[in-house]
Amino acid sequence: MRIITGKYKGRHFDIPRSFKARPTTDFAKENIFNVLTGYMDFEGAEALDLFSGTGSITLELLSRGCERVISVELDRDHHRFIQQCLEKLGTKAVTPLRADVFRFVKTCRQQFDIIFADPPYALKELPTIPDLIFEKGLLKEDGIFVFEHGKDHDFSLHPHFAEHRCYGSVNFSLFKY
């Protein structure tokens, strides 16, 4: 796993082979972040990374200038890996939480400039996540919600839907407030 650009550009982290996480490919990550630069300035932004997995998105958000990132991952080994990556970078700008995303979202009282969610594609609650984000008011005005999902889901009729991008088997739906 590598950081594409920004302060930590080129840094590599070896993901243990035992991991169940499906990290966003470098190709898809680079392209979606290129799209996002048209929507927002990462410098000083507050970000939330849900279903963090390997922490790839968290690290990219941090590298691109986000002032603060909250990374939520339930799996113990994945959470520990994210913590180790952050220690190697020597940063305190990320709060890595080992928590259930749905419980976190229901109790969170903060708002974010950007929210990124990459749940397991087979997660039965996956279709409910965009509504949950907006019902709980987690996105700041002019914020953007990036939702990674499989090809079987179409969110184009959602009232906050902005656009869809597809990179190979990776699909992103973008939502705006």
Side-chain angles (χ1 to χ4, degrees):
M1 171 179 84
R2 74 178 172 99
I3 299 175
I4 306 284
T5 198
K7 180 179 179 180
Y8 302 111
K9 179 181 179 175
R11 294 288 299 265
H12 286 266
F13 300 92
D14 293 326
I15 300 170
R17 294 195 184 278
S18 60
F19 271 25
K20 299 169 276 202
R22 165 199 35 77
T24 304
T25 64
D26 283 352
F27 175 75
K29 184 169 60 170
E30 183 170 12
N31 280 288
I32 197 61
F33 271 94
N34 286 341
V35 170
L36 292 174
T37 58
Y39 280 94
M40 68 174 293
D41 181 9
F42 291 97
E43 199 64 41
E46 293 184 321
L48 175 63
D49 183 12
L50 301 172
F51 305 96
S52 298
T54 62
S56 175
I57 298 299
T58 292
L59 297 174
E60 196 69 40
L61 289 165
L62 178 67
S63 184
R64 289 173 184 258
C66 285
E67 184 175 314
R68 186 161 173 257
V69 181
I70 295 178
S71 171
V72 183
E73 174 55 47
L74 182 60
D75 184 276
R76 179 191 48 166
D77 294 334
H78 296 186
H79 177 258
R80 187 178 305 125
F81 178 75
I82 293 168
Q83 286 179 309
Q84 290 168 351
C85 292
L86 295 170
E87 287 169 11
K88 288 178 184 173
L89 294 177
T91 182
K92 301 273 188 220
V94 176
T95 303
L97 300 176
R98 183 170 175 242
D100 176 82
V101 165
F102 295 100
R103 285 187 185 154
F104 173 83
V105 167
K106 288 178 183 173
T107 61
C108 182
R109 300 290 176 251
Q110 295 173 260
Q111 288 189 314
F112 302 90
D113 298 294
I114 182 167
I115 300 173
F116 198 105
D118 180 11
Y121 290 179
L123 184 71
K124 67 178 178 150
E125 298 92 349
L126 185 143
T128 68
I129 293 172
D131 285 336
L132 187 60
I133 295 299
F134 288 98
E135 286 168 9
K136 295 300 177 183
L138 298 183
L139 203 58
K140 289 181 183 178
E141 190 173 327
D142 294 326
I144 187 147
F145 170 46
V146 182
F147 191 41
E148 184 174 335
H149 56 84
K151 64 181 178 183
D152 298 332
H153 293 83
D154 178 6
F155 295 96
S156 61
L157 298 178
H158 192 279
H160 295 286
F161 178 81
E163 70 174 287
H164 174 261
R165 295 291 178 122
C166 180
Y167 305 106
S169 63
V170 181
N171 288 266
F172 294 100
S173 288
L174 282 67
F175 303 82
K176 294 245 344 135
Y177 213 5

